[in-house]
Amino acid sequence: MPRVLRTYRLGRVEYEDGLALMRLAGDAVRAGTPAGTDFLFLLEHPPVLTLGRSAGREHIVAAPAWLEKQGFEIHETDRGGDVTYHGPGQIVGYPVLDLNGRRDVRRYVGALEEAMIRTCADFGVEAGRHPEHRGCWVGRRKIGAIGVHLSRWITSHGFAFNARTDLAHFQVIVPCGIADPRLGVTSLEAELASRSRATPEQAEIENRLAAHLADVLELARTDAGPDLRTISVVPVRADGRVLLLRRSAERGGFWQQVTGRIEPGESPEQAARRELREETGADLPVASLGYRHAFGLDPSINRVRPGALVVVEEVAFAARVPDGFEPRLSGEHTEHAWVTGEEAAAQLRFPGLRRAVRLALSARR
């Protein structure tokens, strides 16, 4: 029987969370939980520049202060390749596979290329390979990049396919370290626009990529949704300080804002109001931050399926609390603190919680 390719279409994922998700999936593949199962994560990162093992910092051509102001993050990685951009409108694919029965790196990289080439063909765009540079190319324009890492023949990282990507963002780097002025980057949207055709929905493009990758690698694809749906709520005072709660030692002992799971039959907003009331005693309206993201549940707090990979989708909210309010803590927390945004960024362990605080403070201005 072929191995199963368990495919998650996750939407927004913070880059640090993506790295952690691959590590957790790699552990699951090595342990065989579940047996005979590989993983494919299709997702979108916020603007980020990643440096592979052979990357040169000189290939980032924009000033660090400008990148920070524009919201770009910079991360060094263990994948192959040089400098790559990830951002909205780009479909990032992270296959986490056991290649022990098919130990051929060149064939694996070729399969990633082939999945993108076939996806382009599905939408009427002729793509292929470049004689000198890996990836998926439309003529002299790269539409899909590849950078992989293998550890004991378990794969991580993967490919980035430009669907609706803002191509201007590539101007801040020398893409993949390729300085040849005759070569450039493109997107499916740009290619279809030049043919007077509309760009398909992101979900349809993701579906084609997953189907072709499973076919080329001879895997049996199954689709999976989030294993757990949760909310976070940032309580904010008029002076701009936010409320953080410290979990009890048996629940990890770290600081966070209000968090909790969405119970069956609840909307995210209903769950947010209930968790705010239960964890702080505040019965207040909540406002959506327009931020939905996914991540792998940290093993130290995994009570859903201990020892197994649990993928979480979280929706973020904010609540304005009156001056003088002091929380009534539940048994889940041992202490609280009212902190500034900078202090919260330093104390919060997970990147999605840090972004929710930044969004909550931006919304009140």
Side-chain angles (χ1 to χ4, degrees), residues 55-220:
R57 284 268 177 173
E58 68 274 12
H59 292 155
I60 301 177
V61 297
W66 184 89
L67 290 170
E68 183 178 359
K69 185 176 180 180
Q70 298 300 315
F72 283 74
E73 296 179 358
I74 301 176
H75 291 273
E76 295 183 357
T77 75
D78 59 2
R79 62 162 174 80
D82 204 282
V83 179
T84 297
Y85 163 78
H86 298 310
Q90 184 188 73
I91 299 171
V92 174
Y94 289 145
V96 182
L97 316 174
D98 185 351
L99 294 186
N100 273 290
R102 41 202 164 143
R103 296 188 175 191
D104 189 333
V105 177
R106 188 177 296 273
R107 179 174 178 268
Y108 171 60
V109 171
L112 300 182
E113 292 172 334
E114 186 64 25
M116 292 189 285
I117 290 168
R118 293 186 185 184
T119 297
C120 288
D122 287 342
F123 301 112
V125 175
E126 184 177 351
R129 294 176 173 85
H130 190 279
E132 299 178 27
H133 306 292
R134 302 311 307 229
C136 178
W137 294 77
V138 180
R140 294 182 174 181
R141 301 177 301 279
K142 180 182 270 192
I143 196 170
I146 291 176
V148 302
H149 176 76
L150 281 81
S151 174
R152 298 180 182 178
W153 294 99
I154 306 297
T155 69
S156 59
H157 297 280
F159 64 87
F161 183 78
N162 297 331
R164 289 183 171 82
T165 319
D166 184 349
L167 298 178
H169 283 178
F170 283 97
Q171 295 176 10
V172 305
I173 63 171
V174 179
C176 301
I178 302 172
D180 189 337
R182 297 169 298 175
L183 304 179
V185 292
T186 189
S187 67
L188 187 63
E189 181 180 53
E191 294 300 322
L192 291 175
S194 71
R195 296 162 175 78
S196 301
R197 295 176 56 188
T199 307
E201 292 298 318
Q202 202 89 334
E204 185 178 355
I205 304 170
E206 290 176 342
N207 184 57
R208 301 295 180 93
L209 285 166
H212 289 310
L213 187 61
D215 183 54
V216 173
L217 293 172
E218 299 179 341
L219 300 173

Side-chain angles (χ1 to χ4, degrees), residues 213-237:
L213 187 61
D215 183 54
V216 173
L217 293 172
E218 299 179 341
L219 300 173
R221 172 191 167 195
T222 63
D223 290 338
D227 304 303
L228 179 67
R229 289 181 166 85
T230 64
I231 57 82
S232 69
V233 185
V234 183
V236 184
R237 284 195 320 208

Side-chain angles (χ1 to χ4, degrees), residues 248-272:
S248 61
E250 58 270 22
R251 292 177 176 270
F254 54 85
W255 290 92
Q256 61 175 41
Q257 54 263 49
V258 172
T259 64
R261 70 174 62 197
I262 302 173
E263 300 294 350
E266 278 188 317
S267 69
E269 182 177 357
Q270 289 170 333

